[in-house]
Amino acid sequence: MDALILQILNGLDKGSAYALIALGLTLIFGTLGVVNFAHGALFMIGAFCAVTLNRILTLSHTVIDETRTDFLGKPLQVDVPYVYDIFGESAGNAIIDWSVPLAILFAIPVMIAVGVIMERGLIKHFYKRPHADQILVTFGLAIVLQEIIKYFYGANPIPTPAPEAFKGSFDFGTMIGFDPNIIIYPYWRLVYFCFAVVIIGAVFAFLQFTTFGMVVRAGMADRETVGLLGINIDRRFTIMFGLAAAVAGLAGVMYVPINPPNYHMGMDFLVLSFVVVVVGGMGSLPGAVLAGFLLGILESFASMREVIDFIPGINQVIIYLVAIIILLTRPRGLMGRKGVMED
Amino acid sequence: MFGLEKKDASLLILVAVLTIFAPFILNPFPDGSALAQFNAGYPDLMQRFVIFGIFAIGFNILFGLTGYLSFGHAAFLGIGSYAAVWMFKLLSMNVIPAIILAVIMSGLFALLIGYISLRRSGIYFSILTLAFAQMMFALAYSVLTPITGGETGLQLALDDPRILSMASSTDGNIPVPSLFGMEMRDSTQLTVGAWKFTFNVGYYFCSVIMLVAFYIAIRIFRSPFGLMLRAVKSNQQRLNYTGLNPRPYTLAAFVISGMYAGLAGALMASMDPLAGAERMFWTASGEVVLMTILGGAGTLIGPVLGAGAIKYMENILSKINSDILHTWFAFLPDGLEDFIVTIIYPFIGKGWHLTLGIIFMLVVIFLPGGLVEGGQRIMQKLRGKSADTDSAKTEPAE
């Protein structure tokens, strides 16, 4: 029982990332009908937004501290971040410490801008082209984006820590009545999961309860008719693309403390996210979220020692195996709609 | 000639001539000159040109003709490599049995994967093939280590059985792959003035095989079978209504292209007898997609051109560093020189992938038919003809 809970918890953070990326992919596919291979790159750009903000905040200038001396007896030179000058030392420290959550505010406008530019500048011209062309051009774009990031940030992972308050782990088991030291769970992973739930909830609420969302849903169902009603559906879909990019970007921002970002992290997640989307059912938003969490948890179950001893290597292939089985037995995926990409 | 139309026969002969004289053509700059780094006429790179040419020709039989975009073709390349190295380990260092086993093994795997994947089409087919390839990569990397060598890759060892030949060469080293005694790594050098040309046994062996593969591809393109595959691409539903089942045709195309990939993998192992799981990683599958699209999917010569272009960029562009750039632009005033070098620098050396990505995007956006279509357009411009009068046009990908 405790092992079961532990594995479910372990699966949640990866599952959250899958769900968020798959949600964005599905939003783009459902609205614009485009298969976006550059979505993983958006996730990666989000992660590097956090890195960038951290670097900006820790930008410092050297001052000479007369009160202290180095080993030669000269006055000590210390690097003082500009943030200290503006907010004072303690507040400045807190800001730097909280740079990753703060990066959310930084990433939202950046990601929406990136998404809108991408849609208007490139993807717009590919609506009428076959899906293969869309895959290829976004694949090319993903290569370009990740090479640009590599040029500026290098090829190595860049560790960026979570705020001090969320470092370390806590004993989840004692809270629900297990013996201590059995179910230990890092704080930040819980934060990530809650964050993902909030974002997913927000996206669904936005689509369900706002007029804008209603129009977008109507456009997903029948784009032409909505257009005939005199609504500029293209503009709304562009905004949805920006939103999907922001969702992917935020998923990336918050993932930074779990896994130090490198330039190819997007591609690693992309392949799995596509599998998630297909398992959930092309064009189904709840399906994408469900499949994301489901596959994340399955993956973590498959990496239990007992399971690996029973079927060696299952932890490496479980997601693909599930995808193959689902695709062959339930061609529409778990919750796919009828008539969406069923060829 | 050879059962081909005149146009195709002349294309084949052109390719044959180009490959035979490649050591000259690819080495246009004298040895030791400043431009010598653009020479591609060294055996290692030339072998890669033809091997990846074979890989891309095979991929094009599937993608160019049927329109099924496989994102897992590198799996067959990896299988071919593993099978070939195992033949070197168990049987003999002769490359023929290695190649035969590699082609058979990759064909069997392609039959299995194709049978399952081809139940779906479009993006689902791409995901299925990708899933299979990633699964095989993950297994080769971890659980199947006894067969695949895991992270270190599969290598030859002195104590391998090699039942048909000796386990070690006379000087006590691991023997090298050979064709009835002709070692693949043997080269002869010809020095003409400042030029140095290298003729490599392995390269010519690969070229002969590529020419055969190319010939078979032409035959497939021009056969009723090839027409059937094109019908699958243009409208599968209409094909169904005529009472034909397209599945056997697409499966045959998938298996053939898988065998081509296995052949390429075997040749890679023959040139350098080791095999690693990274050959099966999905980026390797992506690479052959890039090659085919860049050259021109659905055309005969396109994939070979694309493979050559990408491998040339990978090997030549990536070698240029900022010092070399500075010597090139040394004639400019200092400030301007630095400025230009700063601008160009991100696109060369380690950043060659950026150039590749940009070129690839431009090709997909503006030239869906790849380099071949670009060449045709330029030819039309030169001849001053309008587009519709050109009957020699091979159809570009849709």
Side-chain angles (χ1 to χ4, degrees), chain A residues 252-273:
Chain A
V253 168
M254 294 295 272
Y255 207 72
V256 163
I258 298 178
N259 210 355
N262 54 15
Y263 71 100
H264 55 74
M265 71 186 289
M267 283 293 192
D268 303 343
F269 267 89
L270 177 82
V271 174
L272 288 169
S273 302

mmCIF file with all atom_site columns, all heavy atoms in Angstrom, chain A residues 252-273:
data_model
loop_
_atom_site.group_PDB
_atom_site.id
_atom_site.type_symbol
_atom_site.label_atom_id
_atom_site.label_alt_id
_atom_site.label_comp_id
_atom_site.label_asym_id
_atom_site.label_entity_id
_atom_site.label_seq_id
_atom_site.pdbx_PDB_ins_code
_atom_site.Cartn_x
_atom_site.Cartn_y
_atom_site.Cartn_z
_atom_site.occupancy
_atom_site.B_iso_or_equiv
_atom_site.pdbx_formal_charge
_atom_site.auth_seq_id
_atom_site.auth_comp_id
_atom_site.auth_asym_id
_atom_site.auth_atom_id
_atom_site.pdbx_PDB_model_num
ATOM 1   N N   . GLY A 1 252 ? 7.559  24.494 -18.344 1.00 0.00 ? 252 GLY A N   1
ATOM 2   C CA  . GLY A 1 252 ? 9.021  24.483 -18.366 1.00 0.00 ? 252 GLY A CA  1
ATOM 3   C C   . GLY A 1 252 ? 9.622  25.274 -17.217 1.00 0.00 ? 252 GLY A C   1
ATOM 4   O O   . GLY A 1 252 ? 10.568 24.833 -16.567 1.00 0.00 ? 252 GLY A O   1
ATOM 5   N N   . VAL A 1 253 ? 9.063  26.441 -16.939 1.00 0.00 ? 253 VAL A N   1
ATOM 6   C CA  . VAL A 1 253 ? 9.590  27.296 -15.856 1.00 0.00 ? 253 VAL A CA  1
ATOM 7   C C   . VAL A 1 253 ? 9.631  26.519 -14.552 1.00 0.00 ? 253 VAL A C   1
ATOM 8   O O   . VAL A 1 253 ? 10.659 26.450 -13.867 1.00 0.00 ? 253 VAL A O   1
ATOM 9   C CB  . VAL A 1 253 ? 8.705  28.548 -15.687 1.00 0.00 ? 253 VAL A CB  1
ATOM 10  C CG1 . VAL A 1 253 ? 9.061  29.270 -14.401 1.00 0.00 ? 253 VAL A CG1 1
ATOM 11  C CG2 . VAL A 1 253 ? 8.860  29.483 -16.855 1.00 0.00 ? 253 VAL A CG2 1
ATOM 12  N N   . MET A 1 254 ? 8.503  25.918 -14.227 1.00 0.00 ? 254 MET A N   1
ATOM 13  C CA  . MET A 1 254 ? 8.424  25.278 -12.922 1.00 0.00 ? 254 MET A CA  1
ATOM 14  C C   . MET A 1 254 ? 9.189  23.964 -12.878 1.00 0.00 ? 254 MET A C   1
ATOM 15  O O   . MET A 1 254 ? 9.460  23.425 -11.815 1.00 0.00 ? 254 MET A O   1
ATOM 16  C CB  . MET A 1 254 ? 6.955  25.043 -12.557 1.00 0.00 ? 254 MET A CB  1
ATOM 17  C CG  . MET A 1 254 ? 6.183  26.317 -12.359 1.00 0.00 ? 254 MET A CG  1
ATOM 18  S SD  . MET A 1 254 ? 6.763  27.278 -10.967 1.00 0.00 ? 254 MET A SD  1
ATOM 19  C CE  . MET A 1 254 ? 5.794  26.575 -9.652  1.00 0.00 ? 254 MET A CE  1
ATOM 20  N N   . TYR A 1 255 ? 9.503  23.413 -14.054 1.00 0.00 ? 255 TYR A N   1
ATOM 21  C CA  . TYR A 1 255 ? 10.222 22.142 -14.070 1.00 0.00 ? 255 TYR A CA  1
ATOM 22  C C   . TYR A 1 255 ? 11.714 22.327 -13.804 1.00 0.00 ? 255 TYR A C   1
ATOM 23  O O   . TYR A 1 255 ? 12.419 21.370 -13.537 1.00 0.00 ? 255 TYR A O   1
ATOM 24  C CB  . TYR A 1 255 ? 10.004 21.440 -15.423 1.00 0.00 ? 255 TYR A CB  1
ATOM 25  C CG  . TYR A 1 255 ? 10.132 19.941 -15.340 1.00 0.00 ? 255 TYR A CG  1
ATOM 26  C CD1 . TYR A 1 255 ? 9.143  19.187 -14.717 1.00 0.00 ? 255 TYR A CD1 1
ATOM 27  C CD2 . TYR A 1 255 ? 11.237 19.275 -15.849 1.00 0.00 ? 255 TYR A CD2 1
ATOM 28  C CE1 . TYR A 1 255 ? 9.245  17.824 -14.605 1.00 0.00 ? 255 TYR A CE1 1
ATOM 29  C CE2 . TYR A 1 255 ? 11.342 17.903 -15.736 1.00 0.00 ? 255 TYR A CE2 1
ATOM 30  C CZ  . TYR A 1 255 ? 10.348 17.180 -15.115 1.00 0.00 ? 255 TYR A CZ  1
ATOM 31  O OH  . TYR A 1 255 ? 10.446 15.823 -15.011 1.00 0.00 ? 255 TYR A OH  1
ATOM 32  N N   . VAL A 1 256 ? 12.169 23.572 -13.893 1.00 0.00 ? 256 VAL A N   1
ATOM 33  C CA  . VAL A 1 256 ? 13.608 23.842 -13.783 1.00 0.00 ? 256 VAL A CA  1
ATOM 34  C C   . VAL A 1 256 ? 14.246 23.273 -12.506 1.00 0.00 ? 256 VAL A C   1
ATOM 35  O O   . VAL A 1 256 ? 15.287 22.614 -12.578 1.00 0.00 ? 256 VAL A O   1
ATOM 36  C CB  . VAL A 1 256 ? 13.859 25.352 -13.928 1.00 0.00 ? 256 VAL A CB  1
ATOM 37  C CG1 . VAL A 1 256 ? 15.222 25.732 -13.433 1.00 0.00 ? 256 VAL A CG1 1
ATOM 38  C CG2 . VAL A 1 256 ? 13.708 25.754 -15.364 1.00 0.00 ? 256 VAL A CG2 1
ATOM 39  N N   . PRO A 1 257 ? 13.642 23.474 -11.317 1.00 0.00 ? 257 PRO A N   1
ATOM 40  C CA  . PRO A 1 257 ? 14.306 22.920 -10.128 1.00 0.00 ? 257 PRO A CA  1
ATOM 41  C C   . PRO A 1 257 ? 14.306 21.402 -10.084 1.00 0.00 ? 257 PRO A C   1
ATOM 42  O O   . PRO A 1 257 ? 15.157 20.803 -9.427  1.00 0.00 ? 257 PRO A O   1
ATOM 43  C CB  . PRO A 1 257 ? 13.473 23.487 -8.962  1.00 0.00 ? 257 PRO A CB  1
ATOM 44  C CG  . PRO A 1 257 ? 12.762 24.651 -9.531  1.00 0.00 ? 257 PRO A CG  1
ATOM 45  C CD  . PRO A 1 257 ? 12.501 24.303 -10.955 1.00 0.00 ? 257 PRO A CD  1
ATOM 46  N N   . ILE A 1 258 ? 13.361 20.755 -10.776 1.00 0.00 ? 258 ILE A N   1
ATOM 47  C CA  . ILE A 1 258 ? 13.317 19.292 -10.762 1.00 0.00 ? 258 ILE A CA  1
ATOM 48  C C   . ILE A 1 258 ? 14.432 18.730 -11.632 1.00 0.00 ? 258 ILE A C   1
ATOM 49  O O   . ILE A 1 258 ? 15.095 17.763 -11.277 1.00 0.00 ? 258 ILE A O   1
ATOM 50  C CB  . ILE A 1 258 ? 11.937 18.790 -11.252 1.00 0.00 ? 258 ILE A CB  1
ATOM 51  C CG1 . ILE A 1 258 ? 10.842 19.300 -10.307 1.00 0.00 ? 258 ILE A CG1 1
ATOM 52  C CG2 . ILE A 1 258 ? 11.913 17.276 -11.339 1.00 0.00 ? 258 ILE A CG2 1
ATOM 53  C CD1 . ILE A 1 258 ? 9.453  18.905 -10.719 1.00 0.00 ? 258 ILE A CD1 1
ATOM 54  N N   . ASN A 1 259 ? 14.609 19.356 -12.768 1.00 0.00 ? 259 ASN A N   1
ATOM 55  C CA  . ASN A 1 259 ? 15.582 18.845 -13.727 1.00 0.00 ? 259 ASN A CA  1
ATOM 56  C C   . ASN A 1 259 ? 16.300 20.032 -14.355 1.00 0.00 ? 259 ASN A C   1
ATOM 57  O O   . ASN A 1 259 ? 15.652 20.823 -15.031 1.00 0.00 ? 259 ASN A O   1
ATOM 58  C CB  . ASN A 1 259 ? 14.821 18.047 -14.804 1.00 0.00 ? 259 ASN A CB  1
ATOM 59  C CG  . ASN A 1 259 ? 15.675 16.953 -15.366 1.00 0.00 ? 259 ASN A CG  1
ATOM 60  O OD1 . ASN A 1 259 ? 16.845 16.843 -15.038 1.00 0.00 ? 259 ASN A OD1 1
ATOM 61  N ND2 . ASN A 1 259 ? 15.084 16.153 -16.225 1.00 0.00 ? 259 ASN A ND2 1
ATOM 62  N N   . PRO A 1 260 ? 17.596 20.205 -14.134 1.00 0.00 ? 260 PRO A N   1
ATOM 63  C CA  . PRO A 1 260 ? 18.288 21.363 -14.708 1.00 0.00 ? 260 PRO A CA  1
ATOM 64  C C   . PRO A 1 260 ? 18.112 21.402 -16.223 1.00 0.00 ? 260 PRO A C   1
ATOM 65  O O   . PRO A 1 260 ? 18.312 20.376 -16.881 1.00 0.00 ? 260 PRO A O   1
ATOM 66  C CB  . PRO A 1 260 ? 19.755 21.120 -14.343 1.00 0.00 ? 260 PRO A CB  1
ATOM 67  C CG  . PRO A 1 260 ? 19.721 20.177 -13.214 1.00 0.00 ? 260 PRO A CG  1
ATOM 68  C CD  . PRO A 1 260 ? 18.489 19.357 -13.364 1.00 0.00 ? 260 PRO A CD  1
ATOM 69  N N   . PRO A 1 261 ? 17.696 22.542 -16.770 1.00 0.00 ? 261 PRO A N   1
ATOM 70  C CA  . PRO A 1 261 ? 17.366 22.566 -18.195 1.00 0.00 ? 261 PRO A CA  1
ATOM 71  C C   . PRO A 1 261 ? 18.597 22.520 -19.088 1.00 0.00 ? 261 PRO A C   1
ATOM 72  O O   . PRO A 1 261 ? 19.624 23.125 -18.781 1.00 0.00 ? 261 PRO A O   1
ATOM 73  C CB  . PRO A 1 261 ? 16.648 23.906 -18.360 1.00 0.00 ? 261 PRO A CB  1
ATOM 74  C CG  . PRO A 1 261 ? 17.175 24.751 -17.272 1.00 0.00 ? 261 PRO A CG  1
ATOM 75  C CD  . PRO A 1 261 ? 17.497 23.846 -16.130 1.00 0.00 ? 261 PRO A CD  1
ATOM 76  N N   . ASN A 1 262 ? 18.495 21.774 -20.168 1.00 0.00 ? 262 ASN A N   1
ATOM 77  C CA  . ASN A 1 262 ? 19.500 21.857 -21.230 1.00 0.00 ? 262 ASN A CA  1
ATOM 78  C C   . ASN A 1 262 ? 18.770 22.033 -22.544 1.00 0.00 ? 262 ASN A C   1
ATOM 79  O O   . ASN A 1 262 ? 17.547 21.958 -22.588 1.00 0.00 ? 262 ASN A O   1
ATOM 80  C CB  . ASN A 1 262 ? 20.405 20.623 -21.247 1.00 0.00 ? 262 ASN A CB  1
ATOM 81  C CG  . ASN A 1 262 ? 19.609 19.358 -21.331 1.00 0.00 ? 262 ASN A CG  1
ATOM 82  O OD1 . ASN A 1 262 ? 18.422 19.393 -21.655 1.00 0.00 ? 262 ASN A OD1 1
ATOM 83  N ND2 . ASN A 1 262 ? 20.213 18.247 -21.042 1.00 0.00 ? 262 ASN A ND2 1
ATOM 84  N N   . TYR A 1 263 ? 19.526 22.268 -23.613 1.00 0.00 ? 263 TYR A N   1
ATOM 85  C CA  . TYR A 1 263 ? 18.853 22.709 -24.835 1.00 0.00 ? 263 TYR A CA  1
ATOM 86  C C   . TYR A 1 263 ? 18.010 21.624 -25.482 1.00 0.00 ? 263 TYR A C   1
ATOM 87  O O   . TYR A 1 263 ? 17.125 21.920 -26.258 1.00 0.00 ? 263 TYR A O   1
ATOM 88  C CB  . TYR A 1 263 ? 19.876 23.267 -25.824 1.00 0.00 ? 263 TYR A CB  1
ATOM 89  C CG  . TYR A 1 263 ? 20.771 22.226 -26.440 1.00 0.00 ? 263 TYR A CG  1
ATOM 90  C CD1 . TYR A 1 263 ? 20.507 21.746 -27.699 1.00 0.00 ? 263 TYR A CD1 1
ATOM 91  C CD2 . TYR A 1 263 ? 21.867 21.719 -25.757 1.00 0.00 ? 263 TYR A CD2 1
ATOM 92  C CE1 . TYR A 1 263 ? 21.312 20.788 -28.272 1.00 0.00 ? 263 TYR A CE1 1
ATOM 93  C CE2 . TYR A 1 263 ? 22.669 20.763 -26.317 1.00 0.00 ? 263 TYR A CE2 1
ATOM 94  C CZ  . TYR A 1 263 ? 22.384 20.303 -27.577 1.00 0.00 ? 263 TYR A CZ  1
ATOM 95  O OH  . TYR A 1 263 ? 23.178 19.340 -28.126 1.00 0.00 ? 263 TYR A OH  1
ATOM 96  N N   . HIS A 1 264 ? 18.277 20.357 -25.169 1.00 0.00 ? 264 HIS A N   1
ATOM 97  C CA  . HIS A 1 264 ? 17.461 19.345 -25.852 1.00 0.00 ? 264 HIS A CA  1
ATOM 98  C C   . HIS A 1 264 ? 16.374 18.745 -24.968 1.00 0.00 ? 264 HIS A C   1
ATOM 99  O O   . HIS A 1 264 ? 15.763 17.747 -25.323 1.00 0.00 ? 264 HIS A O   1
ATOM 100 C CB  . HIS A 1 264 ? 18.333 18.246 -26.462 1.00 0.00 ? 264 HIS A CB  1
ATOM 101 C CG  . HIS A 1 264 ? 19.254 17.585 -25.500 1.00 0.00 ? 264 HIS A CG  1
ATOM 102 N ND1 . HIS A 1 264 ? 18.805 16.687 -24.567 1.00 0.00 ? 264 HIS A ND1 1
ATOM 103 C CD2 . HIS A 1 264 ? 20.577 17.699 -25.300 1.00 0.00 ? 264 HIS A CD2 1
ATOM 104 C CE1 . HIS A 1 264 ? 19.822 16.280 -23.848 1.00 0.00 ? 264 HIS A CE1 1
ATOM 105 N NE2 . HIS A 1 264 ? 20.924 16.884 -24.256 1.00 0.00 ? 264 HIS A NE2 1
ATOM 106 N N   . MET A 1 265 ? 16.109 19.354 -23.806 1.00 0.00 ? 265 MET A N   1
ATOM 107 C CA  . MET A 1 265 ? 15.073 18.804 -22.948 1.00 0.00 ? 265 MET A CA  1
ATOM 108 C C   . MET A 1 265 ? 13.704 18.834 -23.631 1.00 0.00 ? 265 MET A C   1
ATOM 109 O O   . MET A 1 265 ? 12.877 17.957 -23.412 1.00 0.00 ? 265 MET A O   1
ATOM 110 C CB  . MET A 1 265 ? 15.010 19.576 -21.630 1.00 0.00 ? 265 MET A CB  1
ATOM 111 C CG  . MET A 1 265 ? 14.450 20.973 -21.773 1.00 0.00 ? 265 MET A CG  1
ATOM 112 S SD  . MET A 1 265 ? 14.543 21.950 -20.257 1.00 0.00 ? 265 MET A SD  1
ATOM 113 C CE  . MET A 1 265 ? 13.337 21.195 -19.225 1.00 0.00 ? 265 MET A CE  1
ATOM 114 N N   . GLY A 1 266 ? 13.503 19.849 -24.481 1.00 0.00 ? 266 GLY A N   1
ATOM 115 C CA  . GLY A 1 266 ? 12.218 19.953 -25.160 1.00 0.00 ? 266 GLY A CA  1
ATOM 116 C C   . GLY A 1 266 ? 11.946 18.753 -26.033 1.00 0.00 ? 266 GLY A C   1
ATOM 117 O O   . GLY A 1 266 ? 10.861 18.171 -26.013 1.00 0.00 ? 266 GLY A O   1
ATOM 118 N N   . MET A 1 267 ? 12.974 18.363 -26.804 1.00 0.00 ? 267 MET A N   1
ATOM 119 C CA  . MET A 1 267 ? 12.803 17.233 -27.705 1.00 0.00 ? 267 MET A CA  1
ATOM 120 C C   . MET A 1 267 ? 12.519 15.950 -26.929 1.00 0.00 ? 267 MET A C   1
ATOM 121 O O   . MET A 1 267 ? 11.702 15.137 -27.326 1.00 0.00 ? 267 MET A O   1
ATOM 122 C CB  . MET A 1 267 ? 14.065 17.040 -28.549 1.00 0.00 ? 267 MET A CB  1
ATOM 123 C CG  . MET A 1 267 ? 14.185 18.036 -29.659 1.00 0.00 ? 267 MET A CG  1
ATOM 124 S SD  . MET A 1 267 ? 12.898 17.811 -30.895 1.00 0.00 ? 267 MET A SD  1
ATOM 125 C CE  . MET A 1 267 ? 13.504 18.828 -32.202 1.00 0.00 ? 267 MET A CE  1
ATOM 126 N N   . ASP A 1 268 ? 13.224 15.805 -25.783 1.00 0.00 ? 268 ASP A N   1
ATOM 127 C CA  . ASP A 1 268 ? 13.002 14.599 -24.988 1.00 0.00 ? 268 ASP A CA  1
ATOM 128 C C   . ASP A 1 268 ? 11.548 14.512 -24.537 1.00 0.00 ? 268 ASP A C   1
ATOM 129 O O   . ASP A 1 268 ? 10.942 13.450 -24.550 1.00 0.00 ? 268 ASP A O   1
ATOM 130 C CB  . ASP A 1 268 ? 13.924 14.602 -23.757 1.00 0.00 ? 268 ASP A CB  1
ATOM 131 C CG  . ASP A 1 268 ? 15.375 14.722 -24.148 1.00 0.00 ? 268 ASP A CG  1
ATOM 132 O OD1 . ASP A 1 268 ? 15.669 14.474 -25.327 1.00 0.00 ? 268 ASP A OD1 1
ATOM 133 O OD2 . ASP A 1 268 ? 16.222 15.070 -23.296 1.00 0.00 ? 268 ASP A OD2 1
ATOM 134 N N   . PHE A 1 269 ? 11.011 15.667 -24.142 1.00 0.00 ? 269 PHE A N   1
ATOM 135 C CA  . PHE A 1 269 ? 9.630  15.657 -23.679 1.00 0.00 ? 269 PHE A CA  1
ATOM 136 C C   . PHE A 1 269 ? 8.647  15.580 -24.825 1.00 0.00 ? 269 PHE A C   1
ATOM 137 O O   . PHE A 1 269 ? 7.562  15.032 -24.682 1.00 0.00 ? 269 PHE A O   1
ATOM 138 C CB  . PHE A 1 269 ? 9.352  16.903 -22.841 1.00 0.00 ? 269 PHE A CB  1
ATOM 139 C CG  . PHE A 1 269 ? 9.557  16.678 -21.386 1.00 0.00 ? 269 PHE A CG  1
ATOM 140 C CD1 . PHE A 1 269 ? 10.793 16.878 -20.807 1.00 0.00 ? 269 PHE A CD1 1
ATOM 141 C CD2 . PHE A 1 269 ? 8.526  16.216 -20.606 1.00 0.00 ? 269 PHE A CD2 1
ATOM 142 C CE1 . PHE A 1 269 ? 10.992 16.637 -19.470 1.00 0.00 ? 269 PHE A CE1 1
ATOM 143 C CE2 . PHE A 1 269 ? 8.721  15.965 -19.267 1.00 0.00 ? 269 PHE A CE2 1
ATOM 144 C CZ  . PHE A 1 269 ? 9.950  16.181 -18.702 1.00 0.00 ? 269 PHE A CZ  1
ATOM 145 N N   . LEU A 1 270 ? 9.051  16.150 -25.957 1.00 0.00 ? 270 LEU A N   1
ATOM 146 C CA  . LEU A 1 270 ? 8.115  16.224 -27.069 1.00 0.00 ? 270 LEU A CA  1
ATOM 147 C C   . LEU A 1 270 ? 7.667  14.845 -27.524 1.00 0.00 ? 270 LEU A C   1
ATOM 148 O O   . LEU A 1 270 ? 6.491  14.594 -27.736 1.00 0.00 ? 270 LEU A O   1
ATOM 149 C CB  . LEU A 1 270 ? 8.763  16.958 -28.238 1.00 0.00 ? 270 LEU A CB  1
ATOM 150 C CG  . LEU A 1 270 ? 7.839  16.980 -29.440 1.00 0.00 ? 270 LEU A CG  1
ATOM 151 C CD1 . LEU A 1 270 ? 6.841  18.093 -29.287 1.00 0.00 ? 270 LEU A CD1 1
ATOM 152 C CD2 . LEU A 1 270 ? 8.597  17.126 -30.703 1.00 0.00 ? 270 LEU A CD2 1
ATOM 153 N N   . VAL A 1 271 ? 8.655  13.951 -27.706 1.00 0.00 ? 271 VAL A N   1
ATOM 154 C CA  . VAL A 1 271 ? 8.335  12.624 -28.219 1.00 0.00 ? 271 VAL A CA  1
ATOM 155 C C   . VAL A 1 271 ? 7.311  11.965 -27.312 1.00 0.00 ? 271 VAL A C   1
ATOM 156 O O   . VAL A 1 271 ? 6.285  11.435 -27.761 1.00 0.00 ? 271 VAL A O   1
ATOM 157 C CB  . VAL A 1 271 ? 9.624  11.796 -28.313 1.00 0.00 ? 271 VAL A CB  1
ATOM 158 C CG1 . VAL A 1 271 ? 9.296  10.386 -28.690 1.00 0.00 ? 271 VAL A CG1 1
ATOM 159 C CG2 . VAL A 1 271 ? 10.563 12.400 -29.321 1.00 0.00 ? 271 VAL A CG2 1
ATOM 160 N N   . LEU A 1 272 ? 7.557  12.053 -25.999 1.00 0.00 ? 272 LEU A N   1
ATOM 161 C CA  . LEU A 1 272 ? 6.626  11.445 -25.055 1.00 0.00 ? 272 LEU A CA  1
ATOM 162 C C   . LEU A 1 272 ? 5.287  12.161 -25.067 1.00 0.00 ? 272 LEU A C   1
ATOM 163 O O   . LEU A 1 272 ? 4.235  11.532 -24.976 1.00 0.00 ? 272 LEU A O   1
ATOM 164 C CB  . LEU A 1 272 ? 7.239  11.470 -23.659 1.00 0.00 ? 272 LEU A CB  1
ATOM 165 C CG  . LEU A 1 272 ? 8.392  10.483 -23.514 1.00 0.00 ? 272 LEU A CG  1
ATOM 166 C CD1 . LEU A 1 272 ? 9.141  10.704 -22.230 1.00 0.00 ? 272 LEU A CD1 1
ATOM 167 C CD2 . LEU A 1 272 ? 7.862  9.069  -23.561 1.00 0.00 ? 272 LEU A CD2 1
ATOM 168 N N   . SER A 1 273 ? 5.316  13.493 -25.212 1.00 0.00 ? 273 SER A N   1
ATOM 169 C CA  . SER A 1 273 ? 4.056  14.225 -25.192 1.00 0.00 ? 273 SER A CA  1
ATOM 170 C C   . SER A 1 273 ? 3.179  13.867 -26.379 1.00 0.00 ? 273 SER A C   1
ATOM 171 O O   . SER A 1 273 ? 1.959  13.812 -26.263 1.00 0.00 ? 273 SER A O   1
ATOM 172 C CB  . SER A 1 273 ? 4.318  15.715 -25.203 1.00 0.00 ? 273 SER A CB  1
ATOM 173 O OG  . SER A 1 273 ? 5.105  16.044 -24.111 1.00 0.00 ? 273 SER A OG  1
#
